Amino acid sequence: MKFQKYCIFPALFLFLSLLLFGCSQGEEKKNQKPEAYSPGQINVLSPKADGKNTLGGDPVLLDLSNISQGYIMGILSEEGKKINIQIIGPDGVTYKYFLTEAGDYTAFPLTAGDGNYLILAFENVAGDQYASLFSESVDVTLDNEFLPFLYPNQYVDFHEDNRCVQLAAELSENAESDLKALENIYDYIIANITYDSQKAALVEVGYLPDIDSTLSTGTGICFDYAAVMASMLRSLGIPTKLTIGYSASVRHAWVDVYIESIGWVEHAVEFNGNEWRFMDPTFASTGGSDPAILEFIGDGENYMVQYIR
């Protein structure tokens, strides 16, 4: 009995030490910051499929090797197939992605943060009918909460050789802060890209932005504006969310940006030197200085978030 009496204290001490260590690790992770911004410095992260943890096979293979980095990879092995990937995270939102072209891996983000994700795959068999291929539940602990908003993915698709990425470096070359880089990129986009109403009326379900095409044509829909801005900012190491939802009753897309001195700022923003204003780049370029437009986009209640890509 004496042995048990004196042994309980080291055991209790060890338990408390591990508990405190775990808490400190959790706090440390919670307080993590993205790497400091450097003017004109490209910092493009490249998603990888390492083959260490996979699901499926033919016609679709999912690679979960780097879920701690905030993404999974998918590849279609057979031409003529259409695969629907669904990801349901701890926020309960169902994210749907489609694979229709064989041969190349595509990244799908895990934007709901740490927690349990249900991953499902379905194959199109006829019309709008799909057959289940597989499903898997996985626990995700991100190495850094900002990673899903720094890597490229199917919706924010950019690479080092994209003109958009090179332009981002040029626009930020003399920008001493991430805030100034954001201002320069924002000003460029609203001055050089105009809203394409005809495209908006004809766009089909499943449309994916092409950032360099938008840049070269100088036209696009809200989805294009947001994808270009998100790609440019992420390529500079500035965490950016491409957000999809509704502006009043209209389907819309915009961006949220993480600023080192502020934190997350919702919607594309304008900073006049004294205060932040909610400033959506699509409406800003379309409406110019129309007071009604500025008042609308300055009211966060006019936006309802559905998905974060």
Side-chain angles (χ1 to χ4, degrees), residues 63-93:
D63 191 306
L64 281 60
S65 304
N66 295 292
I67 56 175
S68 64
Q69 292 289 296
Y71 64 84
I72 65 175
M73 300 289 280
I75 188 170
L76 183 62
S77 60
E78 298 180 31
E79 293 288 356
K81 298 286 187 178
K82 183 178 182 180
I83 303 298
N84 173 218
I85 306 297
Q86 296 188 16
I87 301 175
I88 306 172
D91 57 0
V93 177

Side-chain angles (χ1 to χ4, degrees), residues 7 101 133 191 230:
C7 264
E101 295 184 6
L133 294 175

Side-chain angles (χ1 to χ4, degrees), residues 130-281:
Y130 285 80
S132 176
L133 294 175
F134 57 82
S135 64
E136 185 78 12
S137 178
V138 297
D139 291 320
V140 173
T141 301
L142 298 176
D143 289 343
N144 186 301
E145 64 179 292
F146 299 100
L147 289 172
F149 314 112
L150 288 170
Y151 274 97
N153 60 52
Q154 190 182 52
Y155 279 64
V156 187
D157 189 11
F158 62 97
H159 309 278
E160 280 195 10
D161 57 353
N162 284 128
R163 172 56 185 152
C164 270
V165 172
Q166 301 304 318
L167 180 60
E170 295 169 15
L171 292 172
S172 65
E173 187 174 4
N174 296 314
E176 68 280 2
S177 68
D178 54 353
L179 169 57
K180 185 60 180 174
L182 168 60
E183 289 180 4
N184 291 353
I185 290 172
Y186 171 85
D187 289 342
Y188 182 91
I189 289 176
I190 64 172
N192 291 278
I193 301 176
T194 57
Y195 189 75
D196 190 335
S197 300
Q198 183 177 7
K199 181 178 180 179
L202 300 175
V203 68
E204 297 181 356
V205 175
Y207 170 78
L208 295 173
D210 182 326
I211 58 173
D212 279 351
S213 175
T214 299
L215 197 62
S216 62
T217 61
T219 64
I221 59 176
C222 58
F223 201 174
D224 298 315
Y225 278 82
V228 168
M229 193 168 191
S231 297
M232 295 174 80
L233 291 170
R234 287 187 190 185
S235 73
L236 297 173
I238 301 174
T240 307
K241 300 176 182 178
L242 189 157
T243 309
I244 299 170
Y246 286 89
S247 175
S249 60
V250 179
R251 187 77 168 161
H252 198 44
W254 60 94
V255 297
D256 298 341
V257 184
Y258 184 90
I259 301 299
E260 291 176 359
S261 60
I262 303 295
W264 282 107
V265 181
E266 294 182 344
H267 313 117
V269 296
E270 181 181 76
F271 185 70
N272 63 13
N274 297 308
E275 63 181 359
W276 289 95
R277 294 188 65 190
F278 294 124
M279 184 60 63
D280 179 295

